[in-house]
Structures are given as C-alpha cells and as structure tokens.
Amino acid sequence: MKKLSTFLHANGNAVMKFFLISLTLFSITLVISCTEESLIPTGPISSQSGLRVSATGSDNTGEGTNENPFATIQYALDMAVEGDTVWVAPGSYVGDGNRNIDFKGKGVALISEQGPAVTIIDGQSTRNDPHRGFYFGSDEGPTTVVAGFTITNCVASQYSHGGGMWGHGSPTLSPTIVGNIITNCGAGRGGGILFQDGATPTIINNTIVGNYAYTTVNGGLQQDGGIIKNNIIRDNTPAVNLHAGGAIVEYNNIQNGPTGNGNIDVDPLFVDQATGDFGLQEGSPCIDAGDPNPIYNGLDGTRADIGAIPLFQISWDDDELNGNDGFLMPNGKQHKENCGCHICKAIRLNQCDDGQNGFLMPNGKYHKANC
C-alpha cells in the first residue's frame, strides 16, 4: 500500500464543510436533511430544502425546484425569504441577473452545489462596461452567505470599489464569505473584495488571486474589521494584497502580508494558476496550515488547508496484479474501487441516510463503512 494525496478537484464537499463551519461559528442553524454539523450537502440535493438555480433553468416558468429551477441567481434571491437557502447547480452564470447580485438585506445562504471549480459567476465586464459580482448595501448580517463559487471578470467602474464584492453603509454589515475563488476582478480600489464604513464580514477559506485596482490602493482584499482566516491572497495588483483595518487576520497565505498568528507568505503551489486551476499540489505549504481548531478540519480528518480548494488526503491501495485498486476508509477498512456498494444522493462523511458511517471516494462513489 502506498500513500497518495488525492485532490478533490471538481467536487464541492470541502467547500460545503467550510460553509457549515462558518454557520456553526455564528450559531446559525442550517436545516438540511439531517442535523449533524459534519454533514456535507452536495448535489444532487433533492432531499434538501431551499430554492434551486440552474444555467438551463427559467425565470419565466421556473419554480425554483430541482425539476424546474430558476435561471438566474438574482431572481432566486428575490424570490427567497429570510432564512432560505439558494442552491446553485454547476455551470457558468453570465449576464444580467448573474452580476451586480444584491441580497437586499435578506439573511439567505447562497451555496453552490458542487463547489467553485465547476460553479462560475462570470461578470463578462470591462472597464468600459462595468459590472461587479456582488453588492452588499442593506446591512446584511452573518446569515447572508456566499459559499463555493468562482467569481471572475467582474469589474467596477474606475472610481468605484470592489469588483468581485463591495459592501458599505453600516458597521453592522457582516456577511459570511466562504470557499470562493475570486480572480480577474477589478475596481478603483479593492479589486477583489472591499468592505468599508466599519463593516465586519467573515472571510474564510477563499482564494483571492489575480485581481487589480486602477489606483495604487489594494488589488486584493480590503475591509475595516471582521475575520480573515484560511485564505490565499496573492498576485493581486498593486502588490498591497490586503488592507485589513481592525480585522482578525489568522492562518492566511498573504503575499507581502502580516506575519504571526499562523499567517505565511509563500508560493501556494497551485496545480496550474495560468489555466485557473487553484487546487493545491502535493507539497503545498497551504496543506494542513489553516486554523488548527478541529471544527475547521477537512473531510479527511486532517487539519484545515488554506484556500478555497483543499487537498483531500487518503490512502490508496495500488494492487496492479489483481486489479483491486481501492481506498482505505477512515475506520481502517479497505474498499475496492468498484465494489458496487451503496452510493448516497447526499454525500456525507460521518452519517448516511441509513445511519451507516461512510467515506466519499474521489471517483464520486460513496461507501458505507461496513459494506
């Protein structure tokens, strides 16, 4: 048996883990099909409550269901009520209704079903045709959540702020931003994210890379307070990647950023940054370098990684002679790759619908511990 670290590249399970952690930190209850904090909601999610969005849906005839989803994120948020969850299917979301997104003060959780590698909000905007990604201007609180998206090509006007996200207007503005990739976004300042006027957002496990500002002030992340934790913030222009004000800044990888409190400033070793693959290579200094509090641990049970897409570490049994390649479960039991046992619709680590502990394999199959 040999040890390999297998990258959970196109799967949002780890992102959903971080999302649930954020909700737990703020004592927010997310009602899904079970109540365990460690349950990981991913698509298909027919058993989970909330509204659905799909790039192939319709705002005219859609009902916000799995069978008949809405087409745009903004329409779904407009239809949502306080406490709702809006689930977004994999796809590329472009055009009006999928940019300048505004929660309008609602405490709604906006979550991708399968994570940022496959769920993209593309503003398709330029300096001459500006459209930012998200706008927070109605005193949204921590129950307003954005989780598990790639936000790209979102550009505010030359003299405006926050290309990917802009929030302002109140010191009690405090949304939760977790598990997103924000890249190639621009603004007058705070090209990636800018929260001002004393706002205190929680920014956890995001990758904020390759954004820009038209001025000399901050191309990456700028905020006055709140929490900045487990993020990669690098290669933004200007090279002032972070202006944190009075925020708590811990366990991040920030180029030219603060040291101490678990923060580092090193090459994260992305799989292929040039092609937008922001997964972590084996040997990345971001692996197991996040907040050591166990509530942040990854699906594999290891310490949290830094960034939006972690490395999923498992044991692989490479038995080439008889073709029994397989996976070692966290409980120590060995499974062949194609043993044909149970596949859950809602993939979880610690509990399945039938109460059996299990493990998600990189090929997408879900194995019960005692199958």
Side-chain angles (χ1 to χ4, degrees):
M1 180 176 293
K2 60 185 179 181
K3 184 76 173 180
L4 292 178
S5 293
T6 302
F7 172 49
L8 192 66
H9 173 57
N11 194 296
N13 297 306
V15 170
M16 299 306 105
K17 171 78 169 178
F18 298 136
F19 163 71
L20 290 178
I21 286 168
S22 298
L23 297 186
T24 302
L25 287 174
F26 288 95
S27 301
I28 301 163
T29 301
L30 173 65
V31 179
I32 55 177
S33 55
C34 298
T35 58
E36 298 291 329
E37 289 179 2
S38 56
L39 299 184
I40 311 302
T42 63
I45 52 172
S46 58
S47 64
Q48 297 170 9
S49 60
L51 300 174
R52 309 297 195 274
V53 178
S54 170
T56 60
S58 171
D59 289 344
N60 293 324
T61 61
E63 299 173 333
T65 62
N66 270 345
E67 297 76 16
N68 194 11
F70 298 133
T72 66
I73 294 169
Q74 186 63 65
Y75 188 81
L77 291 177
D78 290 345
M79 294 298 102
V81 298
E82 186 77 15
D84 266 349
T85 301
V86 173
W87 300 94
V88 182
S92 184
Y93 293 85
V94 301
D96 293 340
N98 294 311
R99 54 193 185 186
N100 305 311
I101 297 166
D102 188 347
F103 285 80
K104 302 176 183 177
K106 295 178 182 178
V108 172
L110 177 68
I111 317 173
S112 73
E113 292 179 7
Q114 296 186 29
V118 294
T119 316
I120 301 165
I121 296 172
D122 185 345
Q124 295 185 329
S125 52
T126 66
R127 189 169 181 173
N128 296 323
D129 183 22
H131 302 277
R132 67 172 46 86
F134 287 84
Y135 173 73
F136 301 91
S138 301
D139 204 21
E140 289 84 0
T143 57
T144 298
V145 178
V146 180
F149 297 89
T150 290
I151 301 165
T152 189
N153 300 322
C154 295
V155 181
S157 65
Q158 179 176 355
Y159 302 106
S160 190
H161 309 317
M165 297 182 181
W166 180 36
H168 72 112
S170 171
T172 57
L173 175 65
S174 54
T176 301
I177 312 300
V178 56
N180 303 284
I181 297 168
I182 300 173
T183 187
N184 199 36
C185 295
R189 61 188 180 115
I193 300 177
L194 189 148
F195 282 93
Q196 62 188 96
D197 299 332
T200 55
T202 295
I203 312 291
I204 298 180
N205 279 106
N206 299 279
T207 295
I208 304 170
V209 171
N211 303 286
Y212 56 93
Y214 299 126
T215 66
T216 59
V217 182
N218 197 279
L221 169 64
Q222 180 173 340
Q223 64 188 70
D224 291 340
I227 298 172
I228 301 170
K229 188 188 295 284
N230 295 356
N231 303 282
I232 299 174
I233 309 173
R234 306 186 64 83
D235 300 327
N236 299 288
T237 306
V240 180
N241 288 272
L242 173 68
H243 178 82
I248 298 170
V249 183
E250 297 177 331
Y251 300 101
N252 302 279
N253 183 353
I254 307 173
Q255 186 178 17
N256 302 322
T259 58
N261 297 320
N263 296 298
I264 58 176
D265 179 3
V266 291
D267 184 348
L269 297 181
F270 291 127
V271 173
D272 191 350
Q273 182 173 345
T275 62
D277 188 339
F278 294 105
L280 303 176
Q281 298 181 40
E282 291 187 64
S284 166
C286 295
I287 297 171
D288 299 340
D291 192 316
N293 189 319
I295 67 170
Y296 292 95
N297 283 356
L299 279 171
D300 51 13
T302 62
R303 176 175 167 176
D305 295 347
I306 296 175
I309 305 182
L311 197 81
F312 193 43
Q313 302 172 75
I314 63 170
S315 293
W316 168 265
D317 183 12
D318 190 1
D319 188 350
E320 297 178 353
L321 294 178
N322 59 23
N324 290 333
D325 292 354
F327 302 88
L328 182 67
M329 304 270 289
N331 66 356
K333 185 168 181 178
Q334 181 70 30
H335 281 270
K336 293 187 295 183
E337 180 177 2
N338 296 309
C339 69
C341 58
H342 184 62
I343 302 173
C344 289
K345 288 185 177 181
I347 300 169
R348 301 177 173 92
L349 178 63
N350 292 330
Q351 182 176 332
C352 191
D353 289 338
D354 55 9
Q356 301 299 319
N357 292 335
F359 180 58
L360 174 69
M361 300 205 312
N363 66 356
K365 288 188 177 182
Y366 185 89
H367 286 267
K368 295 188 298 185
N370 61 353
C371 70

